[in-house]
């Protein structure tokens, strides 16, 4: 089993920044993809950014150039640096880990990000 715990969410003004962290624990192997998804009220969950254990990244077009995903494999931790935040970024952000050899998804509990004046 894998457990994911997010932190770093909160209230920020438009144009501000936040840094989310997600620490993984449990039975974790080196081959995996970690990432962030978000879900706003009344909307479906969507991909924000993902990163492989080798460092390859993929971003949603809506956050490209503003968000940066990174990971520390030694700490089994993934980060999401969010800059130039907009009201449309308001959502619950969920950490995700996907094992590669035996495809399995794990989710964190979510952390609230609110962008408001």
């Amino acid at each position: 089993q894998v457990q994911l715990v997010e932190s770093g969410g909160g209230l920020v003004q438009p144009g501000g920044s936040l840094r989310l962290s997600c620490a993984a624990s449990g039975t974790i192997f080196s081959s995996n993809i970690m990432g962030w998804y978000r879900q706003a009220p009344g909307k479906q969950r969507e991909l924000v950014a993902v990163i492989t254990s080798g460092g390859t990244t993929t971003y949603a077009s809506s956050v490209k150039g503003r968000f940066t995903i990174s990971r520390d494999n030694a700490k089994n931790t993934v980060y999401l640096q969010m800059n130039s935040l907009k009201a449309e970024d308001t959502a619950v952000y969920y950490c995700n880990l996907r094992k590669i050899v035996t495809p399995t998804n794990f989710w964190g509990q979510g952390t609230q990000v609110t962008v408001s004046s």
Side-chain angles (χ1 to χ4, degrees):
Q1 282 291 318
V2 174
Q3 295 79 45
L4 303 172
V5 180
E6 303 100 331
S7 62
L11 175 65
V12 65
Q13 294 184 335
S17 299
L18 282 175
R19 188 181 190 231
L20 305 182
S21 298
C22 173
S25 62
T27 307
I28 304 170
F29 301 99
S30 59
S31 298
N32 62 72
I33 299 173
M34 297 186 73
W36 294 92
Y37 293 71
R38 66 187 182 186
Q39 186 169 25
K43 295 186 177 182
Q44 60 186 341
R45 187 173 299 184
E46 65 177 356
L47 181 148
V48 177
V50 296
I51 183 169
T52 69
S53 57
T56 301
T57 60
T58 299
Y59 295 92
S61 60
S62 60
V63 306
K64 184 180 179 181
R66 299 189 298 121
F67 292 8
T68 302
I69 189 170
S70 61
R71 64 187 290 168
D72 185 333
N73 291 333
K75 296 181 179 180
N76 294 129
T77 301
V78 64
Y79 307 93
L80 185 68
Q81 178 65 47
M82 304 185 292
N83 299 325
S84 302
L85 283 162
K86 305 174 181 179
E88 65 182 6
D89 296 318
T90 296
V92 176
Y93 285 69
Y94 295 92
C95 180
N96 171 266
L97 183 150
R98 175 182 294 176
K99 293 185 177 180
I100 302 302
V101 178
T102 55
T104 309
N105 275 302
F106 300 91
W107 295 91
Q109 80 286 353
T111 185
Q112 177 71 48
V113 172
T114 302
V115 185
S116 176
S117 299

